């Protein structure tokens, strides 16, 4: 199932209602997409006769609930809180369409995965309790160019393409004494040029593209090291992270 298909289902379910930024998950393993309806066209927040901006430029606030959810912000500077469960968080994907947006993502309890893809803006990810992972890689798309979603161990997941990407690279540096409250700054480079910086707190590992087939660059932050180590994709086989990166 693609993101477009999920969005169509959500639009039918929400017909006649206005999300106006806030969306909350239930007790199940939710798939929530940002409604992107808090904007100038929404007369519930922006009266037609008022020139001063009252809307949030498609910002969404998404709360996942207590299960393992897939939460996707789409456009806008989104705030996403996974709350309980081992969640997958995606601030975009803007995919280079329009102005890149900056999202704030909180994992909450559980071993969460935050995915950033080229074309999106600089984000902040606070993993929370559990073993949390930041992935930086392009998404796998379906034939329509939408984010492709797959089934893995009873839940819906996206896929990324993280190997054979010599045009991309990452560095990690300590945020101590630089940005209070954050642990690391992940710099993502495209063709040698700095594209974005991801601020991390309470995050245990970072996965970045490798120039080599069947490989991924992995930084284990639990030891305090900021160095990447080349690992085969099947190093993560059978795990949620492995399914996302295609091992």
């Amino acid at each position: 199932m693609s993101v477009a298909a999920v969005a169509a289902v959500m639009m039918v379910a929400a017909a006649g209602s206005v999300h106006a930024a806030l969306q909350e998950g239930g007790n199940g393993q939710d798939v929530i997409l940002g409604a992107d309806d808090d904007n100038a066209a929404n007369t519930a927040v922006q009266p037609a006769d008022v020139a001063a901006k009252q809307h949030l430029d498609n910002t969404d606030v998404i709360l996942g609930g207590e299960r393992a959810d897939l939460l996707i912000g789409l456009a806008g500077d989104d705030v996403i809180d996974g709350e309980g469960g081992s969640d997958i968080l995606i601030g975009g994907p803007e995919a280079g369409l329009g102005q890149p947006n900056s999202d704030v993502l909180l994992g909450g309890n559980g071993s969460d995965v935050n995915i950033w893809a080229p074309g999106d803006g600089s984000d902040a990810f606070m993993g929370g309790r559990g073993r949390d992972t930041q992935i930086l890689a392009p998404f796998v798309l379906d034939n329509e160019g939408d984010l492709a979603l797959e089934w893995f161990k009873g839940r819906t997941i996206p896929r990324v393409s993280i190997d054979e990407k010599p045009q991309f690279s990452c560095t990690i540096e300590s945020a101590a004494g630089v940005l209070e409250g954050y642990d690391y700054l992940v710099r993502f480079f495209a063709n040698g040029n700095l594209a974005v910086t991801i601020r991390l707190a309470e995050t245990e590992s970072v996965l970045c593209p490798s120039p080599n087939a069947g490989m991924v660059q992995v930084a284990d932050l639990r030891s305090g090291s900021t160095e990447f180590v080349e690992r085969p994709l099947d190093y993560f086989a059978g795990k949620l992270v492995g399914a996302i990166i295609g091992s």
Side-chain angles (χ1 to χ4, degrees), residues 14-237:
S17 67
V18 177
H19 292 286
L22 180 61
Q23 294 174 263
E24 299 181 77
N27 296 323
Q29 292 184 313
D30 301 302
V31 178
I32 303 178
L33 276 66
D36 289 347
D37 65 356
D38 198 321
N39 51 46
N42 188 337
T43 56
V45 293
Q46 183 70 47
D49 58 349
V50 175
K53 177 182 169 184
Q54 309 299 309
H55 60 87
L56 299 181
D57 274 335
N58 292 320
T59 291
D60 292 295
V61 178
I62 302 176
L63 309 178
E66 295 306 312
R67 298 289 298 278
D69 306 307
L70 171 59
L71 310 176
I72 305 173
L74 299 179
D77 297 312
D78 302 309
V79 178
I80 302 177
D81 187 346
E83 299 187 309
S86 297
D87 305 297
I88 301 171
L89 313 176
I90 301 172
E94 288 91 14
L97 300 175
Q99 181 67 30
N101 295 297
S102 295
D103 306 300
V104 176
L105 308 110
L106 302 96
N109 294 330
S111 297
D112 306 297
V113 179
N114 183 49
I115 306 174
W116 176 93
D120 298 344
S122 295
D123 292 344
F125 174 49
M126 284 69 75
R129 297 181 63 181
R131 184 172 178 178
D132 304 300
T133 301
Q134 172 70 58
I135 296 176
L136 298 94
F139 285 109
V140 174
L141 305 178
D142 63 18
N143 292 334
E144 303 300 320
D146 296 318
L147 187 68
L149 300 179
E150 300 182 3
W151 196 248
F152 174 75
K153 294 187 176 180
R155 65 180 301 179
T156 304
I157 68 165
R159 287 275 310 281
V160 301
S161 177
I162 205 165
D163 66 332
E164 292 188 279
K165 299 290 184 294
Q167 71 274 36
F168 298 137
S169 62
C170 300
T171 64
I172 303 177
E173 58 196 69
S174 173
V178 179
L179 288 176
E180 185 175 354
Y182 294 99
D183 302 317
Y184 298 97
L185 301 176
V186 180
R187 312 282 194 186
F188 184 89
F189 296 81
N191 297 312
N193 299 309
L194 179 59
V196 299
T197 296
I198 307 298
R199 308 176 186 197
L200 296 183
E202 298 180 301
T203 303
E204 284 66 45
S205 59
V206 179
L207 276 59
C208 278
S210 167
N212 302 310
M215 305 296 286
V216 56
Q217 294 283 322
V218 181
D220 187 345
L221 302 177
R222 293 173 298 173
S223 65
S225 172
T226 58
E227 297 299 317
F228 283 98
V229 176
E230 188 97 333
R231 300 283 191 191
L233 293 179
D234 61 12
Y235 179 81
F236 297 96

